[in-house]
Amino acid sequence: MPDNKVGGETKLEERPQSALRRRLNYYFNWPVVIDPFGKPYYRWQIIISTAVLYNVFCVPSRMAFEQLREPHLDVMWLALDYTSDGLYIFDIIWHLFIGIPRKGIPAADLRVSRKQYYHGISFKFDVFSILPTDILYWQWGIRMAALRINRLARFHRVQELFARTHVHSNHGVYFRFLEVLLYSIIFVHFNGCLYYGLNIYNGLGYDEWTFPNYATGNVTDHEGNAISAEEGNFFNLYLRSFQWSLVVLAQDVDGLIYNNVVECLLRIFVTIEGTFLMGAGIAIAEHLLASKNRHLEAYQRRLDAVKQYMLMRQVDKSMQKRVLGWFNYVWEVKQFSDEQTDLEILPPILRLSIAKISFQDTFQRVKLFRGCEPQALEELIMRLQLQFYCPGDLVFRKGDVAREMYIVRSGLLQAVSEDGLDVYATLSQGSVFGEVSLLSGLIKADQKRTNTVRSQSYSELFTLSKSDFQV
């Protein structure tokens, strides 16, 4: 092969790659890096969680209920099983292309992310959950659903889905409730399947603790009426098992007699499990309610403090009525949240972006800023101050020194005469007033207000001061 010397070093000429080699490089060096916080990854989590929940509910059911192991169901179960297995395998491949963020940037070098994935506990669970235990079907038959019990080890994907849902949804509290509800249903389902499996182990109709053997046709109810053998179908037996599990978990009583050690041990296990589950449920419910009512508690606490203050200072009834009206308005419209405090954790650039989106509708109505350069407009947005006025409040009087201009965010205001009897103009969202006196004051001495402006309703106004323009 010919070579060239560059800077005293020998540089070999690269051979042109064949079409097959380029194709292999294309498939095995896929340049796409998946963001674990993006929408595609979130959608995939929904798909893989569906496959996991299929195994969580169907594998224990097929192990316990002989009605689900009928020969005519074999093809359906095999199709569903291997569809979920295919999704399990693709899930591992999918995670090989996920770039673990470093300082907020998904890693471009997938070797770092893959190394972290390989050494993590989730990879070990992923591999264990897809071990080909189905090969033992040759020994015990394709109806041995217990061979697929390792598929439940992928349940951490469901937990990850709920964690991501809290980020992607604006109703995180409700999804936390659904998460607790799902876990509770899974616990009841497992115990119900275990209870029916013990029925089969002891024999249906073995004692008062087990189900009657409806297939014999000799079962009667408490009034002595014969019960049809159709009552022994899967749906009825599953509901009875689910109801038994739910009662024992929730109330610690089933009113039945235990005739052997196995029945007693199951009863003790389910009772202990129910105690822990109920305690965990109460703690989680308390947390959810506290999160949901945080603003309401703050509102009531401040309202009570203001009421107590007005009572101590003997504030007159008319003023108390105005204050209480303001509190009602704040709760109904603002939900008693402090925007500035809530956004303090964000860096300035993100606060600016949110402010631009929040104030966009208002600023689009302001003719004064339509020809303003974007950079200057952003500076003004960051300097905006929000002020609130109640019905009847004066924003300023005629003759006051002009130090601020106002932009109406919401509400109605009126430009009136000094005595308040004559109305010259009505101002609504997007209206600007006070700018002439303010801008004139930048060149000349402080200007005086030429009108009086009064708030007709509860109003929110943005203000810009003279110093904001001078800077």
Side-chain angles (χ1 to χ4, degrees):
M1 177 186 296
D3 55 2
N4 298 323
K5 289 187 177 182
V6 180
E9 297 181 357
T10 301
K11 181 181 178 181
L12 299 177
E13 293 183 357
E14 297 182 357
R15 290 182 177 179
Q17 294 182 346
S18 64
L20 177 61
R21 188 178 182 85
R22 288 196 301 270
R23 186 176 295 273
L24 291 175
N25 286 337
Y26 173 77
Y27 286 111
F28 290 96
N29 293 308
W30 191 25
V32 175
V33 178
I34 300 172
D35 181 6
F37 300 102
K39 286 291 186 181
Y41 182 75
Y42 178 68
R43 295 188 183 101
W44 170 251
Q45 283 184 311
I46 296 176
I47 296 174
I48 190 61
S49 296
T50 303
V52 174
L53 290 176
Y54 158 76
N55 286 302
V56 166
F57 283 100
C58 291
V59 170
S61 299
R62 290 158 60 187
M63 291 171 58
F65 293 89
E66 69 278 6
Q67 294 90 342
L68 299 180
R69 299 193 294 270
E70 296 291 337
H72 67 277
L73 298 176
D74 290 346
V75 175
M76 180 189 73
W77 290 129
L78 288 175
L80 293 174
D81 287 347
Y82 291 115
T83 298
S84 69
D85 288 352
L87 293 174
Y88 274 33
I89 294 173
F90 186 79
D91 181 59
I92 296 177
I93 299 174
W94 176 270
H95 279 79
L96 296 179
F97 295 96
I98 291 178
I100 303 299
R102 304 182 66 183
K103 295 184 179 181
I105 303 176
D109 188 355
L110 291 176
R111 290 176 297 181
V112 177
S113 301
R114 289 172 182 175
K115 184 178 180 180
Q116 186 173 347
Y117 175 53
Y118 294 150
H119 288 83
I121 188 67
S122 63
F123 177 72
K124 297 176 177 60
F125 277 113
D126 291 347
V127 172
F128 175 73
S129 65
I130 202 59
L131 291 178
T133 52
D134 306 51
I135 197 172
L136 296 177
Y137 280 165
W138 296 103
Q139 180 69 24
W140 289 305
I142 61 175
R143 301 187 186 98
M144 182 60 68
L147 295 175
R148 296 183 56 83
I149 196 68
N150 62 317
R151 302 303 192 269
L152 276 61
R154 194 71 70 98
F155 191 76
H156 62 277
R157 294 291 176 225
V158 179
Q159 296 174 311
E160 189 179 356
L161 171 64
F162 278 107
R164 289 285 185 268
T165 301
H166 297 161
V167 176
H168 287 273
S169 173
N170 294 325
H171 307 284
V173 173
Y174 302 107
F175 281 101
R176 291 190 190 99
F177 172 77
L178 291 177
E179 182 180 9
V180 175
L181 180 62
L182 174 64
Y183 294 162
S184 302
I185 291 175
I186 291 175
F187 271 108
V188 176
H189 171 73
F190 282 0
N191 290 322
C193 292
L194 186 60
Y195 170 65
Y196 186 78
L198 189 59
N199 273 259
I200 298 298
Y201 175 78
N202 287 334
L204 295 174
Y206 170 75
D207 54 23
E208 296 183 7
W209 196 76
T210 58
F211 287 143
N213 190 352
Y214 294 102
T216 62
N218 299 324
V219 181
T220 60
D221 58 18
H222 62 282
E223 296 180 353
N225 300 320
I227 298 178
S228 172
E230 293 297 326
E231 290 294 318
N233 58 50
F234 164 73
F235 185 73
N236 179 61
L237 293 176
Y238 179 78
L239 284 182
R240 289 174 180 267
S241 301
F242 192 92
Q243 186 266 348
W244 176 89
S245 176
L246 187 62
V247 168
V248 175
L249 282 172
Q251 300 181 12
D252 192 31
V253 61
D254 56 6
L256 298 178
I257 301 172
Y258 320 119
N259 296 318
N260 57 48
V261 176
V262 177
E263 294 174 357
C264 183
L265 288 176
L266 176 62
R267 181 65 173 76
I268 293 173
F269 171 75
V270 176
T271 302
I272 295 175
E273 187 181 14
T275 303
F276 280 102
L277 184 62
M278 183 171 295
I282 293 174
I284 293 173
E286 183 181 2
H287 172 73
L288 295 179
L289 291 175
S291 175
K292 182 66 176 175
N293 297 329
R294 185 178 69 254
H295 291 310
L296 177 59
E297 292 176 358
Y299 168 79
Q300 292 176 338
R301 184 172 60 253
R302 295 188 182 183
L303 176 59
D304 292 341
V306 172
K307 285 182 178 179
Q308 187 67 24
Y309 178 85
M310 291 191 297
L311 181 62
M312 292 176 57
R313 300 298 180 183
Q314 298 181 350
V315 178
D316 61 87
K317 295 294 184 181
S318 60
M319 180 57 67
Q320 291 185 28
K321 184 177 180 181
R322 292 187 62 191
V323 172
L324 295 180
W326 166 251
F327 268 93
N328 291 333
Y329 165 76
V330 168
W331 176 248
E332 294 174 2
V333 179
K334 303 290 293 181
Q335 291 292 303
F336 209 72
S337 61
D338 188 345
E339 296 180 357
Q340 300 300 325
T341 303
D342 293 341
L343 299 180
E344 277 183 357
I345 192 174
L346 299 178
I349 188 64
L350 288 182
R351 289 206 303 269
L352 174 61
S353 300
I354 293 178
K356 288 170 62 179
I357 296 173
S358 302
F359 306 154
Q360 182 179 8
D361 186 48
T362 301
F363 272 81
Q364 284 178 347
R365 301 169 182 262
V366 180
K367 298 180 181 179
L368 180 64
F369 298 125
R370 288 181 181 175
C372 190
E373 295 182 358
Q375 184 176 359
L377 187 59
E378 291 177 0
E379 289 288 337
L380 292 176
I381 290 177
M382 291 299 292
R383 298 177 185 277
L384 287 173
Q385 297 294 325
L386 191 59
Q387 295 184 2
F388 300 91
Y389 292 89
C390 298
D393 287 347
L394 296 180
V395 181
F396 53 75
R397 297 176 183 272
K398 181 179 180 180
D400 290 346
V401 177
R403 296 188 177 90
E404 295 173 318
M405 65 172 290
Y406 300 86
I407 305 169
V408 182
R409 184 184 186 186
S410 65
L412 292 175
L413 302 99
Q414 294 176 333
V416 299
S417 59
E418 290 186 82
D419 56 12
L421 299 178
D422 299 326
V423 178
Y424 302 134
T426 300
L427 308 169
S428 58
Q429 183 183 17
S431 299
V432 178
F433 61 93
E435 77 281 5
V436 176
S437 299
L438 175 62
L439 298 178
S440 299
L442 294 175
I443 304 174
K444 306 175 184 179
D446 290 338
Q447 298 294 305
K448 304 291 185 179
R449 300 294 188 186
T450 57
N451 286 310
T452 298
V453 175
R454 180 181 60 200
S455 178
Q456 186 178 0
S457 64
Y458 289 107
S459 305
E460 299 180 9
L461 306 180
F462 292 124
T463 65
L464 289 171
S465 65
K466 184 187 301 186
S467 59
D468 295 331
F469 288 93
Q470 290 173 339
V471 173

